[in-house]
Amino acid sequence: MNMNQLFMQSMAETRGLCHPDCVKASNEQEDYDASQHAAMVAVNLISSARVILNLDAVRTEYSAQYLVDNAGKEDDEGEMDQQSSQLTFENILQYMVENVWNKRADVQGEREQHLTVKDCLECAFKNGLPRREHWSHVGCTFKAPPFTCHIPRVPMKGEVIETKSVDEAMKLLMKQPVGARLHLFSPEIDRVGEGIYDGPSSNGSSYVGLRDVMIVAVDKSEEKFVVKVQICYKKKTSFVKVCMRRMFVQLDGDEESQVKEPTCLLVDFCIPRLYVN
């Protein structure tokens, strides 16, 4: 068994495990950040589309953290020629000493600008995607070592289709799930349960912000125009019914949270249009 095979076997056997400092930091984080949410929606959109197009025989989970680590970054030219990127015992040992045994977590720092679903999809089309078990978990605080360039990536070819029109989004939904951003209000989103999320309901509502979600279906059992979305909120993934025709204007709060024109709860729709050949 060569070094690449040993490395991949080790990745599979340690799937979901990480340094105790990373686990502690993750447990203290109430929710994922905006870039992590965007990456998770992007890989869910890709997984769904690939099954629909028979590019994958069964639904396959791809790495969202790979997109967090790589989307929106400039190419590192000549990376494969760098000595540090070679998969050797010496380089693995050096990485362990510098980043694990000395507990150098949080070395990635904060991004100046959050990733969007479009950023993540374009990264996948450019670089391909590793399967989830072949990369670190979402929210990992440790920098990916240079020799991860040897991890196999599934080629992804396609383009991002965007629309702000609800009607156009519903046409896209007839073929595959659609990415979108949902205006979140509390306590309504916390209490929705099996009901319909209608946005702000009283003066006690507070604006949480926009959250990337995936629209999976139109709910025809309701009299209202309702869609079912998959959302990750406070690190819990669930399906929520959302009223598509509800309009609102948010005038209080700080400048970043103000919605000064009437808008729907779901906005900024997109899909990955994958190329079969």
Side-chain angles (χ1 to χ4, degrees), residues 70-84:
N70 292 278
K73 295 183 179 180
E74 296 293 331
D75 292 336
D76 188 3
E77 295 182 2
E79 180 185 40
M80 293 294 290
D81 297 327
Q82 295 177 2
Q83 185 66 29
S84 62

Side-chain angles (χ1 to χ4, degrees), residues 76 79-80 82-87 91 95 99 135 143-151:
D76 188 3
E79 180 185 40
M80 293 294 290
Q82 295 177 2
Q83 185 66 29
S84 62
S85 71
Q86 300 305 308
L87 188 56
N91 284 341
Y95 174 82
N99 295 280
W135 205 264
K143 181 180 179 181
F147 45 80
T148 53
C149 61
H150 295 281
I151 291 177

Side-chain angles (χ1 to χ4, degrees), residues 231-248:
I231 181 173
C232 183
Y233 178 61
K234 294 183 178 179
K235 292 189 175 180
K236 294 182 179 179
T237 300
S238 61
F239 291 93
V240 175
K241 297 177 183 177
V242 178
C243 181
M244 287 294 288
R245 294 303 188 193
R246 174 68 188 274
M247 305 288 289
F248 75 96

Side-chain angles (χ1 to χ4, degrees), residues 44 71 94 134 154 160 276:
N44 282 331
Q94 180 179 352
H134 293 161
V154 178
V160 182
V276 177

Side-chain angles (χ1 to χ4, degrees), residues 184-238:
L184 292 188
F185 290 86
S186 181
E188 289 77 12
I189 190 63
D190 301 278
R191 300 174 178 173
V192 62
E194 297 297 322
I196 299 174
Y197 176 64
D198 267 332
S201 59
S202 67
N203 292 332
S205 299
S206 62
Y207 185 63
V208 177
L210 282 166
R211 177 63 47 86
D212 289 297
V213 299
M214 183 171 71
I215 306 173
V216 297
V218 175
D219 195 320
K220 298 180 179 179
S221 64
E222 305 291 345
E223 294 181 359
K224 298 180 180 180
F225 180 16
V226 172
V227 295
K228 183 181 291 186
V229 306
Q230 184 185 59
I231 181 173
C232 183
Y233 178 61
K234 294 183 178 179
K235 292 189 175 180
K236 294 182 179 179
T237 300
S238 61

Side-chain angles (χ1 to χ4, degrees), residues 9-128:
Q9 180 181 352
S10 175
M11 291 288 290
E13 291 176 349
T14 59
R15 177 180 176 180
L17 301 177
C18 201
H19 193 285
D21 283 6
C22 181
V23 174
K24 182 175 182 293
S26 178
N27 291 338
E28 292 173 350
Q29 184 183 11
E30 182 182 18
D31 203 351
Y32 297 112
D33 66 27
S35 294
Q36 292 162 350
H37 280 293
M40 288 188 287
V41 169
V43 294
N44 282 331
L45 289 169
I46 286 173
S47 293
S48 300
R50 287 183 63 86
V51 169
I52 291 170
L53 294 172
N54 294 318
L55 295 173
D56 288 333
V58 296
R59 182 178 175 85
T60 303
E61 293 183 341
Y62 295 96
S63 173
Q65 186 60 34
Y66 173 84
L67 296 176
V68 174
D69 291 339
N70 292 278
K73 295 183 179 180
E74 296 293 331
D75 292 336
D76 188 3
E77 295 182 2
E79 180 185 40
M80 293 294 290
D81 297 327
Q82 295 177 2
Q83 185 66 29
S84 62
S85 71
Q86 300 305 308
L87 188 56
T88 64
F89 282 116
E90 290 78 8
N91 284 341
I92 293 174
L93 180 61
Q94 180 179 352
Y95 174 82
M96 295 292 289
V97 170
E98 294 179 354
N99 295 280
V100 180
W101 293 331
N102 289 333
K103 301 182 181 180
R104 282 177 52 185
D106 247 339
V107 296
Q108 298 186 77
E110 294 186 3
R111 291 178 179 271
E112 294 182 0
Q113 186 173 358
H114 289 304
L115 296 173
T116 65
V117 173
K118 180 182 180 181
D119 294 331
C120 294
L121 291 174
E122 288 179 342
C123 176
F125 294 151
K126 183 177 182 179
N127 301 331

